[in-house]
Amino acid sequence: MYTRCLYLAYLLLASTLVFGQVATILSLPSLNSFALEPLSAPMLFSIPSSSSQVALSLALCSTLQPPPVVFMTNATSSGAVVGPTDPSSWQLAINDGVGVWIGEMRNGGMIGVWVGNGGTSASGSWSYEIAVQEGEDSPHGFNPSAPLLGDTTSSIAIVLSPPFHASRRLEPIYPNYTLPHVTPDERPPTSSEPDTALIVLKTPETVSSIPLYRSACALRQQLQTPQGIGRVAANASLVLRDPEVGWRTEFIIQDLSPSTNYTVFITQGPKISGPLYFLTKSPNFPCTMVHALPYCPMVTYPVPLQPPPFGSVYDRSNLPQAISSSILKSLENLSKTLSTFPCGRDLYSPLRTCQNCFDAYRAWLCTVSLPRCTEGATTIGSDVQRPLVSRPGSSPPRAAGFFPLTADYEELQPCIEGCNLVGRDCPPFLRWQCPSPSLNAGNSYALGYIDSRDGTLQGKGVTGTATDIWGNIWCNGLSG
């Protein structure tokens, strides 16, 4: 009873204080962070008018109880302050940390954030975000684009965020047509990277077990605590796997348990992407993770190599020189060959260029030069068979620079679409040819997973993709 009387007194005082208060103007589009103190006057915000639909969302970032109460209106003017006493206002419903409203703001609108019932005696403040933009897509909430699985070993996984920034690479112009560098030199963006965080849970746990789980900022705040649910040891870096897809954040997650199912969510700014599922390899999995090769940025998977003398993964600093030299030499040779063609002047395709040719060749070369280890069932479901090749530990090295492993392993074959893409993207004078599906292509490539088996129907293979959100990796390659 005392608490309710105190809150009624707060409402009366707040309604008095808020008159004459200048509202903070929210531009379109914008994303801003604020904090509300107990016993403070309500915070008022003004939304500009728009001839288009306006999407507004408010996300609670702190779990302090009780949460604030949010009112809004799109009325021209009622003479009252947006809040519980304004007949033109309505309360914005906040579910699991996020409230969303989409509608017309032809004459602008107002938002009022008030301390909730019982909040006047709270210890702390309520942090929250307000986002407004034109359109019908909620600024806060779940991102339809899922994270991408690089691959796993028995204790390590590599997961990549959805792309967040386009490549700045421009198409060169003849006669100063410059092919991509053998080692790409494009710098990562410095100002457009969103606030990003990684949540890793053991399946069947899900993010809905975390308070305010629909709020990206709440998930990030909770991960900052030592007991944060989903907190893991992970290193993050920016990568450009495919210039046509854009920059991603790469997480290399360590100290995972062998033969364990995990569920991953990633926050990017106000959005949450996921779930992505994966299974770590068995304790005796013999191969070692390779990543962070600037000349092979799409390689984020285990290869048949013994662990390095120091550390648990291979990167540009410790990959055997015989392997890296072979790849770099092949890229240099293609660059020299393409330079004999008048790229940018003689158009061999209305859609593709020498730059695309070099990118496609790089992706193909890296997947065949760095064989991909895997393990698991040969058949998934009733009719999808994984293209695995059993390699005895005593078998000859699969590619230049490799030494025989002491243990048997299984190799995942490259996607034939990677080879076909080189043929489609490169000038005819290269005379690029891939093995025929009707003859011997199945001896060295995975057929019919992304495209139809004969390659005539793009995206119409048995899976339609090289990898999926369930942690299945059907063939090696073509996942930018």
Side-chain angles (χ1 to χ4, degrees), residues 368-389:
V368 299
S369 300
L370 293 163
R372 186 175 197 149
C373 296
T374 190
E375 68 176 9
T378 301
T379 303
I380 306 297
S382 59
D383 56 359
V384 181
Q385 188 162 349
R386 301 179 69 206
L388 305 183
V389 178

Side-chain angles (χ1 to χ4, degrees), residues 207-220:
V207 73
S208 61
S209 63
I210 304 175
L212 310 182
Y213 74 92
R214 294 179 64 233
S215 168
C217 63
L219 292 177
R220 285 193 291 270

Side-chain angles (χ1 to χ4, degrees), residues 7 37 80 93 171 231 235 259 269 321 356 361 376 419 421-422 459 464:
Y7 185 64
E37 302 290 338
E171 179 68 27
R231 182 185 175 106
N235 295 321
S259 303
Q321 186 177 5
N356 300 127
Y361 179 80
C419 183
L421 187 63
V422 180

Side-chain angles (χ1 to χ4, degrees), residues 98-273:
V98 173
V100 178
W101 180 87
I102 300 173
E104 293 185 350
M105 286 282 180
R106 297 191 179 279
N107 298 303
M110 293 286 295
I111 306 172
V113 181
W114 295 61
V115 174
N117 187 6
T120 52
S121 58
S123 57
S125 60
W126 295 270
S127 58
Y128 60 96
E129 293 179 347
I130 298 179
V132 287
Q133 64 186 30
E134 293 182 327
E136 298 183 357
D137 178 35
S138 168
H140 287 93
F142 282 88
N143 187 344
S145 299
L148 177 69
L149 176 64
D151 211 329
T152 69
T153 64
S154 56
S155 62
I156 295 173
I158 292 182
V159 173
L160 299 108
S161 73
F164 66 88
H165 191 278
S167 170
R168 294 188 296 265
R169 191 179 71 173
L170 300 176
E171 179 68 27
I173 299 175
Y174 182 85
N176 298 316
Y177 198 101
T178 303
L179 289 168
H181 289 273
V182 170
T183 300
D185 60 350
E186 183 171 340
R187 302 298 179 187
T190 56
S191 59
S192 60
E193 182 185 7
D195 289 335
T196 306
L198 176 75
I199 301 102
V200 180
L201 305 166
K202 285 188 177 181
T203 312
E205 294 179 12
T206 180
V207 73
S208 61
S209 63
I210 304 175
L212 310 182
Y213 74 92
R214 294 179 64 233
S215 168
C217 63
L219 292 177
R220 285 193 291 270
Q221 283 203 9
Q222 293 175 72
L223 284 172
Q224 293 173 5
T225 65
Q227 296 78 28
I229 301 174
R231 182 185 175 106
V232 293
N235 295 321
S237 59
L238 301 184
V239 295
L240 184 64
R241 289 165 59 94
D242 185 342
E244 294 191 10
V245 174
W247 288 89
R248 300 176 182 265
T249 302
E250 178 189 289
F251 296 92
I252 180 163
I253 312 165
Q254 306 200 51
D255 302 328
L256 298 173
S257 301
S259 303
T260 303
N261 287 292
Y262 288 91
T263 305
V264 172
F265 294 85
I266 294 176
T267 73
Q268 285 183 293
K271 291 288 192 180
I272 304 168
S273 62

Side-chain angles (χ1 to χ4, degrees), residues 336-371:
K336 291 177 182 177
T337 302
L338 278 178
S339 66
T340 64
F341 182 80
C343 295
R345 189 195 71 182
D346 292 2
L347 300 181
Y348 59 89
S349 166
L351 300 176
R352 314 307 285 169
T353 67
C354 291
Q355 190 165 249
N356 300 127
C357 170
F358 195 89
D359 291 339
Y361 179 80
R362 182 198 300 276
W364 170 85
L365 175 68
C366 292
T367 56
V368 299
S369 300
L370 293 163

Side-chain angles (χ1 to χ4, degrees), residues 21-35:
Q21 180 178 328
V22 178
T24 300
I25 300 175
L26 302 175
S27 59
L28 284 170
S30 66
L31 170 65
N32 297 283
S33 300
F34 304 96

